[in-house]
Short mmCIF file of all heavy atoms in Angstrom, two decimals:
data_model
loop_
_atom_site.label_atom_id
_atom_site.label_comp_id
_atom_site.label_asym_id
_atom_site.label_seq_id
_atom_site.Cartn_x
_atom_site.Cartn_y
_atom_site.Cartn_z
N GLU S 32 150.85 170.83 131.42
CA GLU S 32 150.80 172.27 131.16
C GLU S 32 152.21 172.85 131.03
O GLU S 32 152.49 173.66 130.13
CB GLU S 32 150.05 172.96 132.29
CG GLU S 32 149.82 174.44 132.06
CD GLU S 32 149.02 175.08 133.18
OE1 GLU S 32 148.20 174.38 133.81
OE2 GLU S 32 149.21 176.29 133.42
N GLU S 33 153.09 172.44 131.91
CA GLU S 33 154.47 172.91 131.86
C GLU S 33 155.14 172.54 130.53
O GLU S 33 155.84 173.35 129.92
CB GLU S 33 155.24 172.30 133.03
CG GLU S 33 156.68 172.79 133.17
CD GLU S 33 157.40 172.12 134.34
OE1 GLU S 33 156.74 171.78 135.34
OE2 GLU S 33 158.62 171.94 134.23
N LEU S 34 154.89 171.31 130.07
CA LEU S 34 155.50 170.85 128.81
C LEU S 34 154.89 171.54 127.60
O LEU S 34 155.59 171.82 126.62
CB LEU S 34 155.36 169.34 128.69
CG LEU S 34 156.54 168.52 129.22
CD1 LEU S 34 156.21 167.05 129.24
CD2 LEU S 34 157.79 168.76 128.37
N TYR S 35 153.57 171.79 127.64
CA TYR S 35 152.94 172.51 126.53
C TYR S 35 153.55 173.91 126.39
O TYR S 35 153.84 174.37 125.28
CB TYR S 35 151.43 172.61 126.73
CG TYR S 35 150.65 171.45 126.16
CD1 TYR S 35 149.79 170.71 126.97
CD2 TYR S 35 150.75 171.11 124.82
CE1 TYR S 35 149.07 169.64 126.45
CE2 TYR S 35 150.03 170.05 124.29
CZ TYR S 35 149.19 169.32 125.12
OH TYR S 35 148.48 168.26 124.60
N GLU S 36 153.71 174.59 127.52
CA GLU S 36 154.30 175.92 127.49
C GLU S 36 155.73 175.88 126.97
O GLU S 36 156.14 176.71 126.15
CB GLU S 36 154.26 176.54 128.89
CG GLU S 36 152.86 176.93 129.34
CD GLU S 36 152.81 177.42 130.78
OE1 GLU S 36 153.87 177.37 131.45
OE2 GLU S 36 151.73 177.84 131.22
N TYR S 37 156.48 174.87 127.43
CA TYR S 37 157.85 174.68 126.96
C TYR S 37 157.86 174.43 125.45
O TYR S 37 158.68 175.01 124.71
CB TYR S 37 158.50 173.51 127.69
CG TYR S 37 159.75 172.96 127.02
CD1 TYR S 37 160.97 173.60 127.14
CD2 TYR S 37 159.68 171.80 126.24
CE1 TYR S 37 162.10 173.10 126.51
CE2 TYR S 37 160.80 171.29 125.61
CZ TYR S 37 162.01 171.94 125.75
OH TYR S 37 163.12 171.45 125.12
N SER S 38 156.95 173.57 124.97
CA SER S 38 156.91 173.21 123.55
C SER S 38 156.62 174.42 122.68
O SER S 38 157.24 174.62 121.63
CB SER S 38 155.84 172.13 123.31
OG SER S 38 156.13 170.98 124.03
N TYR S 39 155.66 175.26 123.13
CA TYR S 39 155.31 176.42 122.32
C TYR S 39 156.44 177.46 122.31
O TYR S 39 156.75 178.03 121.25
CB TYR S 39 154.01 177.06 122.82
CG TYR S 39 153.48 178.09 121.86
CD1 TYR S 39 152.96 177.71 120.62
CD2 TYR S 39 153.52 179.45 122.17
CE1 TYR S 39 152.49 178.65 119.73
CE2 TYR S 39 153.05 180.40 121.29
CZ TYR S 39 152.54 180.00 120.07
OH TYR S 39 152.09 180.93 119.17
N GLU S 40 157.05 177.68 123.46
CA GLU S 40 158.18 178.61 123.52
C GLU S 40 159.34 178.10 122.66
O GLU S 40 160.02 178.87 121.98
CB GLU S 40 158.63 178.78 124.97
CG GLU S 40 157.66 179.60 125.81
CD GLU S 40 158.01 179.56 127.29
OE1 GLU S 40 159.06 178.96 127.64
OE2 GLU S 40 157.23 180.11 128.10
N PHE S 41 159.55 176.80 122.70
CA PHE S 41 160.61 176.16 121.91
C PHE S 41 160.34 176.35 120.41
O PHE S 41 161.23 176.69 119.64
CB PHE S 41 160.65 174.67 122.26
CG PHE S 41 161.88 173.96 121.77
CD1 PHE S 41 163.10 174.14 122.39
CD2 PHE S 41 161.81 173.09 120.69
CE1 PHE S 41 164.23 173.48 121.96
CE2 PHE S 41 162.94 172.43 120.24
CZ PHE S 41 164.16 172.62 120.88
N LEU S 42 159.07 176.17 120.03
CA LEU S 42 158.66 176.35 118.64
C LEU S 42 158.89 177.78 118.18
O LEU S 42 159.42 178.03 117.08
CB LEU S 42 157.19 175.98 118.50
CG LEU S 42 156.59 176.00 117.09
CD1 LEU S 42 157.10 174.83 116.28
CD2 LEU S 42 155.07 175.95 117.15
N CYS S 43 158.51 178.73 119.02
CA CYS S 43 158.68 180.15 118.68
C CYS S 43 160.17 180.51 118.55
O CYS S 43 160.54 181.37 117.74
CB CYS S 43 158.02 181.04 119.72
SG CYS S 43 156.21 180.92 119.72
N LYS S 44 161.01 179.84 119.33
CA LYS S 44 162.45 180.10 119.26
C LYS S 44 163.03 179.54 117.96
O LYS S 44 163.83 180.20 117.28
CB LYS S 44 163.16 179.45 120.46
CG LYS S 44 164.66 179.74 120.52
CD LYS S 44 165.30 179.14 121.76
CE LYS S 44 165.42 177.63 121.62
NZ LYS S 44 166.18 177.01 122.73
N ILE S 45 162.60 178.33 117.58
CA ILE S 45 163.11 177.70 116.36
C ILE S 45 162.74 178.53 115.13
O ILE S 45 163.54 178.75 114.23
CB ILE S 45 162.54 176.27 116.20
CG1 ILE S 45 163.01 175.37 117.34
CG2 ILE S 45 162.98 175.66 114.87
CD1 ILE S 45 162.32 174.01 117.35
N TYR S 46 161.46 178.99 115.09
CA TYR S 46 160.95 179.67 113.90
C TYR S 46 160.71 181.16 114.16
O TYR S 46 159.74 181.74 113.66
CB TYR S 46 159.64 179.02 113.44
CG TYR S 46 159.78 177.56 113.08
CD1 TYR S 46 159.08 176.58 113.77
CD2 TYR S 46 160.63 177.16 112.05
CE1 TYR S 46 159.21 175.23 113.44
CE2 TYR S 46 160.76 175.82 111.71
CZ TYR S 46 160.05 174.86 112.42
OH TYR S 46 160.18 173.54 112.09
N LYS S 47 161.58 181.79 114.94
CA LYS S 47 161.36 183.19 115.33
C LYS S 47 161.28 184.14 114.14
O LYS S 47 160.63 185.18 114.22
CB LYS S 47 162.44 183.64 116.30
CG LYS S 47 163.86 183.60 115.75
CD LYS S 47 164.85 184.04 116.82
CE LYS S 47 166.28 183.97 116.29
NZ LYS S 47 167.26 184.40 117.30
N ASP S 48 161.94 183.78 113.02
CA ASP S 48 161.91 184.64 111.84
C ASP S 48 160.95 184.14 110.77
O ASP S 48 160.94 184.65 109.65
CB ASP S 48 163.33 184.75 111.24
CG ASP S 48 164.31 185.38 112.21
OD1 ASP S 48 163.89 186.32 112.92
OD2 ASP S 48 165.47 184.91 112.28
N GLU S 49 160.16 183.09 111.10
CA GLU S 49 159.23 182.51 110.13
C GLU S 49 157.85 182.33 110.77
O GLU S 49 157.47 181.22 111.14
CB GLU S 49 159.77 181.16 109.63
CG GLU S 49 161.13 181.27 108.94
CD GLU S 49 161.74 179.91 108.63
OE1 GLU S 49 162.30 179.29 109.55
OE2 GLU S 49 161.59 179.47 107.47
N PRO S 50 157.09 183.42 110.92
CA PRO S 50 155.80 183.36 111.61
C PRO S 50 154.80 182.40 110.97
O PRO S 50 153.95 181.83 111.66
CB PRO S 50 155.29 184.81 111.54
CG PRO S 50 156.10 185.46 110.44
CD PRO S 50 157.41 184.77 110.45
#
Side-chain angles (χ1 to χ4, degrees):
E32 186 178 331
E33 184 181 329
L34 267 171
Y35 271 124
E36 289 175 356
Y37 162 79
S38 300
Y39 191 69
E40 288 170 4
F41 193 74
L42 184 73
C43 292
K44 184 177 74 173
I45 297 171
Y46 300 119
K47 61 181 179 180
D48 298 322
E49 300 172 280

